[in-house]
Every structure is written in C-alpha cells, then in structure tokens.
Amino acid sequence: AVGALGGRFVCGWLCPFGYVQELLYNLRTKKWQLPRAAEYVKFLVLGLTVGLPFVWRSAVGIAEPYYCKYICPAGTLEAGIPLVFRRPELRELVGPVFLLKLGILAVVIVVATIIWRPFCRMLCPLGAFYGLFNRVSIWRLQVDQSRCITCKVCTRRCPAGLVPYEDPNSSACVRCLDCTKACPTGALMFGRGVSDNISQEK
C-alpha cells in the first residue's frame, strides 16, 4: 500500500537508517559516485530475501528470516545493539552471527561517508521492492516538457546521480525531491498524476 501511494517516498522521508547514512555522507571526506550497475544488486538481494526461505528450511520445515538474521545493518544498529546494551542476559548469547552483522554494519558506516546511501542503493530489499512501484505509484515525479530547458541542474543536484528530466521515476530514486527544489523553471514536480511526461497529455 505504501509503495502504491508514493513508491520509494518512504525511503527518502521515513527511513531512520537512510537518515543516518545521510548524516555520515555530510562528513568532510572524498566522495565517490556509485557505478550505475551496482544499483541493480538490490534486486538480487530482494530475490534472495524472498526466494531463499522457500528452498532453505530447517529439518522441521521452518524457514528463517535469513536477511534479517545474517545481514541487515539497519536492524543491527536500531535493534540489535540497543538490546544487547540494555539486557545483560542477551550479552551471553552474542556469538559469530552477531559479530558478523557488526562487521557488515561497520563496513556500511565507512562506505556511507564516501558514497551517498550505499545500503539503500545496493543492499536494502525493501527499498528495491518500493522501487518497483516508482513508475506506477499514485504520487510520483512528473516532468513538464514545455518548461524543461535541459539545463541538467536537476542531474547535478541529484545525490544518486540520476537524470530526472529523462527518467523521473527511476527505481533508484528515493524521492528526496532535491531535483524539484533545484529546477529553475519548475518543470519537475511531485504529485498525483497519470503520466511521467505532462506534455504528452496536452
């Protein structure tokens, strides 16, 4: 339902781990641009997250949430670490799996200082799922071609390195709306509509 309403809007405005990554990216470090091909890794992660429990089950036929158990750095930061810190009895249960997740979290934190939202763009299966709705959601980005002057200001402003005036609803877009704020002619807008290209409706 959330995806049908606004696609990855929840990623850009409600995800606490996304906000943590943005804070880290604001640190003064040398910045790198993520290769466009790397954006598709999240769909592989989504496929494995959804498909693996169907084929990899315990002896009694129960599937585990493997992604949450072995990978998810957001869960480690927002739930795992606080729980272990607050409940002494859980500290005795800390083992290799938790240490593995701490390592993954550490890598994501370091990478987030040089690449904008690396977890959201490569490893988050929920973000990948929401991204599938970007082109068909009720609220989405639209381009008024009669106003667009292809100045590429939106592209330079986009932290994900996208080209909003050509592909306003890419699955990689988290709806940060920086492009709409930067557009000098107001050609880009986020709202309810039936077409990505407004001029096609005229």
Side-chain angles (χ1 to χ4, degrees):
V2 172
L5 284 173
R8 294 192 72 179
F9 183 85
V10 67
C11 301
W13 293 90
L14 297 177
C15 177
F17 196 62
Y19 180 59
V20 168
Q21 292 175 87
E22 294 211 11
L23 293 177
L24 291 168
Y25 189 72
N26 286 334
L27 296 176
R28 292 186 177 181
T29 58
K30 183 179 180 180
K31 307 304 180 184
W32 294 0
Q33 188 62 253
L34 185 71
R36 186 58 53 85
E39 299 273 3
Y40 295 99
V41 174
K42 63 180 178 291
F43 293 109
L44 174 62
V45 174
L46 173 62
L48 291 174
T49 301
V50 174
L52 200 57
F54 287 98
V55 297
W56 187 12
R57 296 173 178 265
S58 68
V60 294
I62 298 177
E64 295 185 74
Y66 297 107
Y67 181 82
C68 299
K69 182 176 180 179
Y70 294 105
I71 298 176
C72 186
T76 303
L77 179 65
E78 297 163 14
I81 292 176
L83 281 173
V84 170
F85 180 77
R86 293 182 59 185
R87 299 179 60 180
E89 67 272 19
L90 292 180
R91 296 172 198 165
E92 300 178 2
L93 302 177
V94 171
V97 172
F98 189 71
L99 295 178
L100 170 65
K101 294 188 68 177
L102 285 177
I104 293 173
L105 173 61
V107 170
V108 171
I109 287 175
V110 171
V111 175
T113 65
I114 60 176
I115 294 177
W116 187 77
R117 286 191 174 219
F119 172 73
C120 305
R121 298 166 69 188
M122 291 188 294
L123 295 177
C124 182
L126 188 56
F129 181 72
Y130 283 141
L132 298 175
F133 290 89
N134 269 3
R135 298 186 190 280
V136 296
S137 60
I138 295 174
W139 291 81
R140 59 182 182 268
L141 279 172
Q142 299 175 78
V143 183
D144 186 341
Q145 294 292 352
S146 65
R147 293 184 180 181
C148 181
I149 57 175
T150 61
C151 61
K152 300 184 180 180
V153 170
C154 58
T155 300
R156 292 193 293 271
R157 184 68 178 270
C158 178
L162 304 178
V163 186
Y165 68 90
E166 290 184 351
D167 187 10
N169 291 293
S170 164
S171 62
C173 174
V174 300
R175 312 294 208 209
C176 70
L177 305 184
D178 283 356
C179 59
T180 63
K181 300 171 187 176
C183 181
T185 63
L188 281 164
M189 59 201 79
F190 182 72
R192 184 177 178 180
V194 295
S195 175
D196 294 349
N197 190 329
I198 294 177
S199 67
Q200 291 178 355
E201 299 175 354
K202 296 180 179 179

